[in-house]
Amino acid sequence: MKALLTIILSFCLTPVVLTGQQYYLRGEVRDEKGVALQNVSILQQSSGFIYRSGSMGGYGILSRNRIDTLTFSMDGYFKETVVVKADDYVVTQLKLMPVVTTVKRDKLASLTKDLARDLQHNWFTGDETYASIIENKFIDAGKYPTTGVALNIDKASYSNIRRFISMNTPVPPDAVRIEEMLNYFNFGYTKPEKQEVFKVNSTLTTCPWNKDNQLFFVNVCSKKLNLDSLAPANFVFLIDISGSMDMPNRLPLLKSAFHLLADNLREKDTVSIVVYGGVVGIMLQPTAGNNKEKIHKAIDELQPGGSTPGESGISIAYGLAKNHFIKKGNNRVILATDGDFNVGVQSEDDLDEMISRNRESGIYLTCLGIGMGNYKDSKIQTLARKGNGNFAYIDGYQEAEKVLLKEYTQTLYAVADDVYMNICFSPDYVKEYRLIGYDNKVAAITDTLSGIDGGEIGSGHSSIAAFEIVPAGPSGKKVISAEEFAKVSLRFRLPEDTTVRHFVKDCRYEPVKFPEAAPATRFATAVIAYGSLLRLSQYVKDINWDAILVIAGESANKEDVNQEQFIDLVEKTKLLYSKSKKKKRREREEE
């Protein structure tokens, strides 16, 4: 009742001077699913004044006329004009607009120039089951010398794998995305030259699991932003408080994570909190970042319960971010959820469609996945990739601290958008190549209209793309120059800039023996081998857990807690999978 009176009074505080008889127009606004819509713009035709719907979609407006006309509008919905009477309580329904594009395009993680899709179909047709992602296979460098990848700073796969192992549960192969595992460590960082956005280094070395092959690493490092000169931020925390979040490792963990993030905010930053669950609405109106007490209090008051109307929460969050958009600032929605949307938009295609409406708004989307059992990794990944953003998985307080405190600028401040990398191999040196990681979904390969978009890269990040190379060997061709092994080119835009920029790096043919390669290169190889064994890769068979432990143990940075913990993780994985293997052997013998 108190909340309703507050809403009513807020709409009554208006400069309009009403004389004579006054009437009260009441009602509420909902979407097609019956979910209340907050912050809908309500134009009163008789006065020309604009009001807003309250946290439960309700409104109350004073009028001189017993019968008045109201026009309801909200981004992403059709306008609705309604004649209302003071005696009636009017429920107005707003309908979603169709997507701007008439054709939905699936998104690829990598793309080889001129490689026909029907050839890629052969990569998985005939398998007993269809995997959600298909491992990249070897490609003829003579026919298809150029391949490209969409770079990003997603890191969710590694911490999700760690969660499975800590529970003594084998990891589902489709949960393993090797590029995200490499992103997690941020190793091999080299500062770009002055005025440059990126620094590119490459290494060619022998392959531990196939002595006849080579490994080629491309390390892309982004510039670090000065903490003192970071642009003002407009953050909207979008927090799932539905019943599925009522577990110690879900909402309580998220609250701890957002407390950490709040501590980083400055006076010039603005933060809002939108929730969805039993209640959908704004829990904290835009508040200056130095008002810590108010922000922490709002976080502490979050309580779980109800269904999961993620669609309405996302709509409100984007609307709030747009209303308080900071030009040349960091405008970002930070969504924290287990991804279990069960009211409104639910399918990945529907989520794709909804987020695509907001992609060009200049608002980034960071997704924080959490939980287990009903955790919907693919849905959250769809949101992050479509929303011009990034994706991390929070499996404990330490990970929350890493993502939101230690890697604050990496996670939340972009230095480049639409980052896309092309690598062109010289057939004089390369017979075949295989991109490791950046595997495509089956749906994207089968969709002939699917395309590839670049990703967002944060401040001070190190991305590694790795290839397994089948050397050309004696071919009768004369090598013209040692510059010709590969050419790497980056295509990107600066935030809030439409100009497409390019960075080019020529990679010389300078192979080094694996024991002589830099520690970061050898450690990255251990991570790749670990992920490949978990993914049951057909290409990484001549290596085992013990060999991975040797490589990681010899190359790990002893001062890097994440690298030291990786060694512990491999030990646990070895024990778990060895027990599983023995159990299967016993079951076969008993049969």
Side-chain angles (χ1 to χ4, degrees):
M1 185 65 185
K2 184 178 178 182
L4 180 60
L5 287 173
T6 302
I7 294 170
I8 294 171
L9 288 172
S10 67
F11 289 122
C12 293
L13 295 176
T14 166
V16 177
V17 178
L18 298 171
T19 58
Q21 180 68 48
Q22 295 181 18
Y23 298 94
Y24 193 57
L25 310 175
R26 298 182 308 117
E28 61 188 59
V29 194
R30 296 185 174 274
D31 65 11
E32 294 167 280
K33 305 287 186 180
V35 178
L37 294 178
Q38 182 179 15
N39 212 33
V40 175
S41 175
I42 307 172
L43 171 63
Q44 185 182 23
Q45 300 286 358
S46 63
S47 67
F49 279 86
I50 295 176
Y51 301 85
R52 299 279 178 179
S53 59
S55 61
M56 301 302 291
Y59 64 87
I61 301 172
L62 288 175
S63 174
R64 298 189 198 84
N65 307 316
R66 191 174 67 84
I67 300 176
D68 209 335
T69 303
L70 304 178
T71 298
F72 302 83
S73 60
M74 188 175 188
D75 286 342
Y77 293 84
F78 286 108
K79 282 186 179 181
E80 190 74 29
T81 299
V82 178
V83 176
V84 296
K85 298 179 181 179
D87 300 332
D88 298 335
Y89 185 86
V90 179
V91 178
T92 304
Q93 182 186 86
L94 295 189
K95 296 181 179 179
L96 275 170
M97 290 181 175
V99 195
V100 176
T101 54
T102 56
V103 179
K104 182 184 75 66
R105 297 168 62 226
D106 281 297
K107 296 303 177 187
L108 295 162
S110 56
L111 177 67
T112 299
K113 188 177 180 182
D114 300 325
L115 180 64
R117 294 294 170 81
D118 57 350
L119 292 178
Q120 287 178 285
H121 289 179
N122 295 331
W123 293 2
F124 57 88
T125 301
D127 288 350
E128 292 185 11
T129 58
Y130 288 93
S132 60
I133 55 176
I134 301 300
E135 186 175 26
N136 292 318
K137 293 188 171 15
F138 280 102
I139 294 173
D140 187 330
K143 293 181 180 179
Y144 313 106
T146 302
T147 195
V149 298
L151 296 182
N152 57 58
I153 60 171
D154 292 349
K155 306 174 184 180
S157 182
Y158 181 81
S159 49
N160 193 29
I161 289 168
R162 183 175 59 200
R163 185 251 304 184
F164 277 106
I165 299 302
S166 68
M167 295 170 58
N168 286 318
T169 303
V171 181
D174 291 333
V176 181
R177 296 186 288 271
I178 292 176
E179 72 277 12
E180 293 184 19
M181 298 174 68
L182 291 169
N183 276 342
Y184 185 86
F185 294 96
N186 206 50
F187 40 59
Y189 181 80
T190 308
K191 185 179 179 180
E193 302 294 330
K194 199 172 184 179
Q195 307 302 322
E196 293 287 357
V197 178
F198 293 107
K199 173 78 173 179
V200 176
N201 297 311
S202 65
T203 301
L204 180 66
T205 187
T206 48
C207 178
W209 53 82
N210 189 334
K211 301 301 181 184
D212 295 328
N213 288 355
Q214 298 170 315
L215 289 179
F216 179 58
F217 292 89
V218 179
N219 185 203
V220 180
C221 303
S222 63
K223 71 176 182 180
K224 287 183 179 179
L225 297 174
N226 188 330
L227 282 170
D228 296 329
S229 59
L230 288 177
N234 166 30
F235 291 146
V236 179
F237 298 171
L238 175 55
I239 304 175
D240 181 352
I241 60 166
S242 62
S244 65
M245 299 293 286
D246 191 11
M247 295 179 68
N249 65 342
R250 297 191 187 184
L251 187 58
L253 178 56
L254 279 183
K255 290 165 73 169
S256 298
F258 281 109
H259 278 307
L260 287 172
L261 181 51
D263 287 334
N264 260 331
L265 299 175
R266 306 156 298 174
E267 182 178 1
K268 63 181 179 179
D269 298 328
T270 301
V271 63
S272 316
I273 298 178
V274 174
V275 298
Y276 63 93
V279 174
V280 181
I282 301 172
M283 288 291 289
L284 179 69
Q285 291 288 346
T287 301
N290 63 337
N291 196 342
K292 308 291 186 191
E293 185 177 350
K294 184 176 180 181
I295 298 169
H296 287 307
K297 184 175 183 292
I299 294 170
D300 284 333
E301 290 176 349
L302 300 178
Q303 297 295 327
S307 56
T308 317
E311 172 190 7
S312 296
I314 292 170
S315 297
I316 292 171
Y318 270 103
L320 195 59
K322 289 176 185 176
N323 288 341
H324 298 274
F325 189 89
I326 300 174
K327 193 171 183 180
K328 296 190 180 300
N330 181 15
N331 300 277
R332 186 177 297 264
V333 172
I334 303 171
L335 167 64
T337 179
D338 60 9
D340 188 20
F341 301 158
N342 55 32
V343 174
V345 165
Q346 297 178 41
S347 74
E348 288 175 41
D349 285 348
D350 289 340
L351 291 171
D352 180 331
E353 190 174 297
M354 178 177 61
I355 291 297
S356 294
R357 294 191 185 97
N358 294 289
R359 182 178 174 86
E360 304 304 322
S361 63
I363 298 168
Y364 295 94
L365 177 66
T366 289
C367 294
L368 304 177
I370 199 162
M372 60 184 69
N374 64 339
Y375 171 59
K376 302 297 185 292
D377 177 273
S378 60
K379 288 186 179 181
I380 306 175
Q381 185 188 43
T382 295
L383 290 171
R385 292 188 175 175
K386 287 293 184 178
N388 195 26
N390 51 58
F391 176 26
Y393 179 82
I394 308 295
D395 64 336
Y397 184 82
Q398 187 178 22
E399 185 64 16
E401 187 177 45
K402 176 181 183 289
V403 172
L404 297 175
L405 194 64
K406 295 177 181 177
E407 298 176 357
Y408 176 70
T409 57
Q410 273 183 47
T411 305
L412 300 176
Y413 280 84
V415 297
D417 292 336
D418 297 332
V419 186
Y420 177 72
M421 179 171 68
N422 260 327
I423 300 95
C424 183
F425 291 102
S426 168
D428 289 341
Y429 292 100
V430 181
K431 180 181 179 181
E432 294 180 325
Y433 63 87
R434 176 177 73 90
L435 174 62
I436 299 173
Y438 297 96
D439 300 314
N440 287 308
K441 293 181 180 180
V442 173
I445 295 176
T446 56
D447 182 359
T448 57
L449 295 173
S450 61
I452 184 167
D453 290 333
E456 171 206 350
I457 296 293
S459 165
H461 181 67
S462 171
S463 292
I464 293 179
F467 296 83
E468 184 175 352
I469 303 292
V470 178
S475 61
K477 295 182 180 179
K478 183 179 179 181
V479 176
I480 299 172
S481 163
E483 301 287 341
E484 292 186 346
F485 178 76
K487 182 186 289 290
V488 176
S489 59
L490 294 176
R491 186 193 70 201
F492 63 97
R493 292 185 302 102
L494 298 180
E496 294 196 46
D497 188 350
T498 57
T499 304
V500 177
R501 299 166 187 263
H502 298 274
F503 182 95
V504 178
K505 164 81 172 180
D506 290 318
C507 303
R508 299 170 62 88
Y509 182 72
E510 298 175 332
V512 296
K513 294 180 180 178
F514 188 76
E516 299 169 5
T521 298
R522 288 181 283 132
F523 189 84
T525 303
V527 174
I528 290 170
Y530 175 71
S532 298
L533 288 187
L534 291 177
R535 255 196 80 60
L536 307 176
S537 171
Q538 61 180 304
Y539 300 108
V540 185
K541 294 179 179 178
D542 295 334
I543 200 166
N544 55 35
W545 304 116
D546 288 330
I548 294 170
L549 284 168
V550 170
I551 296 171
E554 293 176 347
S555 60
N557 181 349
K558 305 304 179 186
E559 297 180 359
D560 187 327
V561 66
N562 295 315
Q563 293 190 31
E564 286 292 291
Q565 288 177 350
F566 172 74
I567 297 173
D568 293 337
L569 182 65
V570 179
E571 288 276 14
K572 292 177 183 176
T573 307
K574 172 190 170 183
L575 183 61
L576 172 63
Y577 278 70
S578 296
K579 286 181 178 178
S580 177
K581 195 172 182 179
K582 289 178 182 178
K583 182 179 178 182
K584 288 180 180 178
R585 190 184 300 124
R586 281 199 309 269
E587 289 174 349
R588 284 197 300 268
E589 289 172 353
E590 290 172 0
E591 289 175 358

